[in-house]
Amino acid sequence: RAVLMWKAFTKFISDMNDAGENGIRLAAYVASRKRGTPAKESAFLARDLTVDFKKHGELGPAINSWYVFFNAALQGNANIVKRLARSKQVRRATAAIIFGGMLQHFWNLLMAGEDDDGESLYLKMLRNEPYKLERQLVFFIPGTKRYVSFPMPYGYNAFYHLGVQGAAIGSGHINPTEGVLNAIRVAFDAFNPIGSGSLLNMITPTIGDPLLE
């Protein structure tokens, strides 16, 4: 009975996810049609709005069986590139994301508290725990030693991180070579469809990851 209940629960979650995703696509299709876009073009727009797991090349299923979410990551990357190339609004939004990363750096410089040695907690994070700034929005709470953080979507986190690194270089808290290499590494991790980590981690199929950890 417990197994049947679990299967029913997972099916319910899957159905709700499908309903939400298809609802978003339908809304995009209707909005596109109201703007006068042809039906076929609107249908393609709605399909590409989120990852379409039925869309793949001849080798897609085989590669996806070795590297989980390879197809989803590749489609996500392609969508970002296409939107950057085709839409001025997306390019402006991306520039705003980079600028937001710069603002975060200067906010934390001014607002972060200090540790017992009088060192800025933000600069300590920038030096000793840079991974916290790679995939999260991090804002120190004024007058305290605490901060709040919010996860960022993969892909776009690379642009935000670029802003953080650029501002850190500009303020003299990271040397230019280190900052550029950090930005390149995070961008590579964000857009690499077979995952991040060491070369061995990347080339090892997903099923073998537990053996490397």
Side-chain angles (χ1 to χ4, degrees):
R1 186 176 178 180
V3 173
L4 292 176
M5 290 178 64
W6 175 252
K7 287 183 177 180
F9 173 73
T10 55
K11 184 178 185 302
F12 172 76
I13 296 297
S14 178
D15 290 344
M16 290 296 291
N17 182 64
D18 289 343
E21 188 169 302
N22 290 329
I24 293 171
R25 285 178 172 164
L26 177 60
Y29 175 82
V30 172
S32 181
R33 291 290 288 143
K34 285 182 177 179
R35 293 174 57 187
T37 307
K40 186 175 182 180
E41 188 176 336
S42 297
F44 277 111
L45 183 148
R47 187 188 70 176
D48 291 338
L49 194 64
T50 59
V51 173
D52 182 0
F53 290 97
K54 296 178 182 178
K55 179 181 176 182
H56 55 74
E58 292 182 5
L59 298 177
I63 297 175
N64 219 52
S65 67
W66 284 81
Y67 303 101
V68 176
F69 301 122
F70 176 88
N71 182 38
L74 204 59
Q75 284 192 55
N77 293 346
N79 285 340
I80 290 175
V81 172
K82 283 192 293 185
R83 287 165 186 162
L84 283 171
R86 297 176 181 175
S87 173
K88 186 180 293 185
Q89 287 79 8
V90 172
R91 290 194 292 272
R92 287 174 178 169
T94 302
I97 291 171
I98 295 173
F99 185 64
M102 299 174 71
L103 289 179
Q104 175 188 287
H105 172 76
F106 290 112
W107 168 274
N108 288 331
L109 272 182
L110 294 172
M111 300 300 176
E114 297 180 344
D115 63 10
D116 295 335
D117 298 324
E119 182 181 6
S120 167
L121 291 171
Y122 169 65
L123 292 180
K124 200 168 185 178
M125 177 186 291
L126 189 66
R127 184 180 68 250
N128 298 331
E129 301 174 303
Y131 58 89
K132 290 185 176 180
L133 302 168
E134 294 174 3
R135 300 188 182 96
Q136 301 179 81
L137 304 174
V138 176
F139 293 98
F140 277 84
I141 301 172
T144 73
K145 295 184 178 182
R146 295 180 291 114
Y147 63 86
V148 293
S149 62
F150 308 93
M152 288 184 285
Y154 262 97
Y156 290 102
N157 71 298
F159 300 114
Y160 197 85
H161 182 260
L162 176 62
V164 173
Q165 294 299 302
I169 292 172
S171 63
H173 294 101
I174 291 180
N175 72 66
T177 301
E178 181 183 357
V180 169
L181 290 177
N182 283 341
I184 292 173
R185 176 181 53 77
V186 170
F188 180 79
D189 286 348
F191 294 110
N192 181 10
I194 60 175
S196 59
S198 67
L199 179 61
L200 183 60
N201 280 113
M202 284 189 285
I203 64 176
T204 301
T206 305
I207 195 172
D209 284 348
L211 299 177
L212 299 178
E213 297 175 355

